[in-house]
Amino acid sequence: MTILDRIPYTLLMILSATISGVIALRAYQSRRKVARAASFSMMAACGSLWMLLVTLDTFSASLFLKEILWRLMPFAILNTLTALFFFSLEFSLRLKSVPRAVLISVLPVQVAVTLLSIGNHLHHQMWTVAMVNGYPVQVMGQFFPIQLALTYLLASGSLVLLVRAFLRSKDALRRQTGLLLVGISIPLVVSILSDVFGWNPLPYVDEPAFSILFAVIFFGWATLRFNTFYLLPVASDLIIKNMLDGVLVTDVDGLVIFSNAAAQQALGRTEAQLQGHAAGMVLKEWLPEAYQAWAGGKQDVQLILGGQPAMYFRLTISLLAGNSGEAIGSLITLYNITRQKVDEIRLNELAISDPLTGSYNRRYFYEMAHTYIEQAQRTARSLSILMLDLDHFKQINDTYGHVKGDLVLQKVVAACKSLVRPADIFSRFGGEEFVLAMPETSLRDALVIAERLRRVIEALKDDLSGMSITASLGVADSGGDPGVSLDELLRRADEAMYASKHAGRNRVTAWQADD
């Protein structure tokens, strides 16, 4: 075969090496953002070098130059296959990096074989030179099977790992893994046929090196077709990285492949603690309700993160689709809506509360008390109403001023709210008058509560610098009467309260029907 006869083969090798080099560069640029990009880049780069060395060897007629190329070639071959094995390991097991134990077991053997090859001129045990038809060729030495065994071990291990990944994957990831399997199988089969069975259909051509062209095509197809390295960097650099909302991107297996700073802060994890981990477990450790939304396929939920103060989040989960509509992963977004929720709660409190004392206002009292009276009428259970009026409050305002009077009201409300149940409605009814609705409370129990309120108000004297403050209270209950209305109960409690005032104030009176 003349040099001219080798030109088509050589052009294909150069094209293959160029494609492999471009893919290596693009993958290297994505190494900080995408798991497995570093090992993929090394594999493609060393494969490109391997093909270039074979191409130079084909055109070289100088024995000196050939021996230099032969010394470098094992370096390129072994690094290609080692990087392929590392890539397959990370891809199959969803690892962010190669475990140290694997590095310690593989790299020293590779370095030893490479050094044997580089120092072949000292021992000539890797290969010797023979002249065939006036052309120098390699004759394998007794150490060469070590290199051959290592290459097959790495290639076979990669194949097993990718088969494992194929069997465990689905949808887009399964198709991508299938392309990787085809890519790795072609050079492996060609190498076996060439090295073991002596298959040599192309004279003066290195068939295993030439078959790398097909591996590059399939690996490039898998990479470009499924956007393994190119989609995420663009999105993260332009949009996601600096978003105030937390963003997680997962692959089809639910493993986190990207997180921005806001997500890391919200979840309390670093990038390394998120990438490669199952999104479901990350959400479960953060907040069980978030995991339930993920596992239940919910797309939009609101969450409360307990603490002082509490934080509120809106969690959205969206499926990511490829160019053909197939699922390629998920987008999880964490919107911190704490400020919005706090504002809503505050507005709601202002709508139902008395701005001075913090007790419920009259409008909210009527809204809730009507619900309670309807419930009492349906169930024939008792609803009790308590009216409370501070004694001689006008004198406090006239003597000490309205500022002191406002303080008295606030102290009274705080003391009374500490004694009522969450279901009770304690409301400022007007001026220094207050009302308390107590659902499912008998008259007898209501009188006990009223007496406690009277005593706690009387005891405020110590908190008010000796200022005496008392209250007159009246209590009425529905007594299970389905015909009694809320207005009637309020009237009865009001009559009982005025009965307390007429009897000398600072006392509790129960409403009694006239004989």
Side-chain angles (χ1 to χ4, degrees), residues 159 179-193 199 207-208 210-215 217-218:
L159 182 64
L179 290 174
L180 295 176
L181 271 175
V182 174
I184 192 177
S185 298
I186 291 176
L188 184 59
V189 171
V190 170
S191 296
I192 292 174
L193 292 174
W199 186 59
E207 284 86 3
F210 181 68
S211 66
I212 293 295
L213 168 64
F214 300 97
I217 290 174
F218 279 97

Side-chain angles (χ1 to χ4, degrees), residues 152-169:
Y152 278 112
L153 183 63
L154 291 171
S156 301
S158 303
L159 182 64
V160 169
L161 288 168
L162 289 177
V163 168
R164 176 187 182 277
F166 179 81
L167 295 176
R168 296 192 173 196
S169 59

Side-chain angles (χ1 to χ4, degrees), residues 252-317:
V252 291
D253 290 331
L255 300 178
V256 177
I257 60 175
F258 174 83
S259 62
N260 68 352
Q264 295 158 23
Q265 182 179 8
L267 298 172
R269 293 194 177 202
T270 64
E271 181 181 12
Q273 292 170 332
L274 288 171
Q275 191 158 346
H277 290 74
M281 293 306 299
V282 170
L283 294 174
K284 187 174 185 179
E285 293 174 5
W286 177 61
L287 196 61
E289 291 80 3
Y291 169 74
Q292 292 169 7
W294 168 266
K298 296 181 180 179
Q299 296 181 335
D300 195 333
V301 294
Q302 290 193 13
L303 305 168
I304 302 176
L305 187 63
Q308 293 296 330
M311 298 184 70
Y312 298 83
F313 289 90
R314 178 188 172 202
L315 173 70
T316 64
I317 303 172

Side-chain angles (χ1 to χ4, degrees), residues 25 33 59 83 118 287 314 359 371 373 416 438-439 484 514:
L25 178 62
K33 306 178 182 70
F59 274 92
I118 293 174
L287 196 61
R314 178 188 172 202
S359 63
T371 301
I373 193 67
C416 292
M438 295 172 282
V484 68
D514 296 332

Side-chain angles (χ1 to χ4, degrees), residues 314-483:
R314 178 188 172 202
L315 173 70
T316 64
I317 303 172
S318 306
L319 291 179
L320 297 177
N323 295 330
S324 302
E326 73 280 6
I328 60 174
S330 298
L331 176 67
I332 303 172
T333 309
L334 284 170
Y335 300 96
N336 190 332
I337 58 173
T338 301
R339 176 175 293 182
Q340 174 186 339
K341 276 295 180 182
V342 169
D343 289 344
E344 288 179 3
I345 293 171
R346 180 58 181 158
L347 287 173
N348 184 60
E349 288 177 349
L350 290 174
I352 65 175
S353 301
D354 172 56
L356 174 62
T357 63
S359 63
Y360 293 120
N361 58 26
R362 186 166 181 158
R363 183 190 63 81
Y364 185 71
F365 171 82
Y366 272 107
E367 179 181 331
M368 293 301 298
H370 276 298
T371 301
Y372 287 158
I373 193 67
E374 291 173 359
Q375 178 182 343
Q377 290 169 348
R378 288 195 309 271
T379 61
R381 294 182 179 178
S382 184
L383 169 67
S384 291
I385 297 293
L386 179 151
M387 297 292 292
L388 180 156
D389 187 81
L390 299 182
D391 298 327
H392 304 298
F393 186 74
K394 185 176 182 304
Q395 294 181 10
I396 294 176
N397 279 332
D398 293 342
T399 304
Y400 300 99
H402 287 280
V403 173
K404 194 71 171 181
D406 291 345
L407 177 62
V408 169
L409 293 176
Q410 292 168 350
K411 290 282 188 181
V412 167
V413 169
C416 292
K417 287 174 67 175
S418 68
L419 296 178
V420 302
R421 302 169 301 179
D424 298 338
I425 305 299
F426 185 77
S427 168
R428 187 181 182 190
F429 218 53
E432 68 275 14
E433 191 175 33
F434 298 87
V435 62
L436 175 64
M438 295 172 282
E440 299 189 10
T441 304
S442 66
L443 180 62
R444 180 177 178 179
D445 291 337
L447 288 171
V448 173
I449 295 172
E451 181 59 25
R452 290 174 184 169
L453 295 179
R454 186 196 66 77
R455 289 178 181 177
V456 77
I457 293 172
E458 188 178 32
L460 287 175
K461 180 177 181 180
D462 295 335
D463 291 339
L464 295 171
S465 304
M467 184 190 306
S468 178
I469 181 75
T470 61
S472 298
L473 299 91
V475 180
D477 78 318
S478 62
D481 181 2

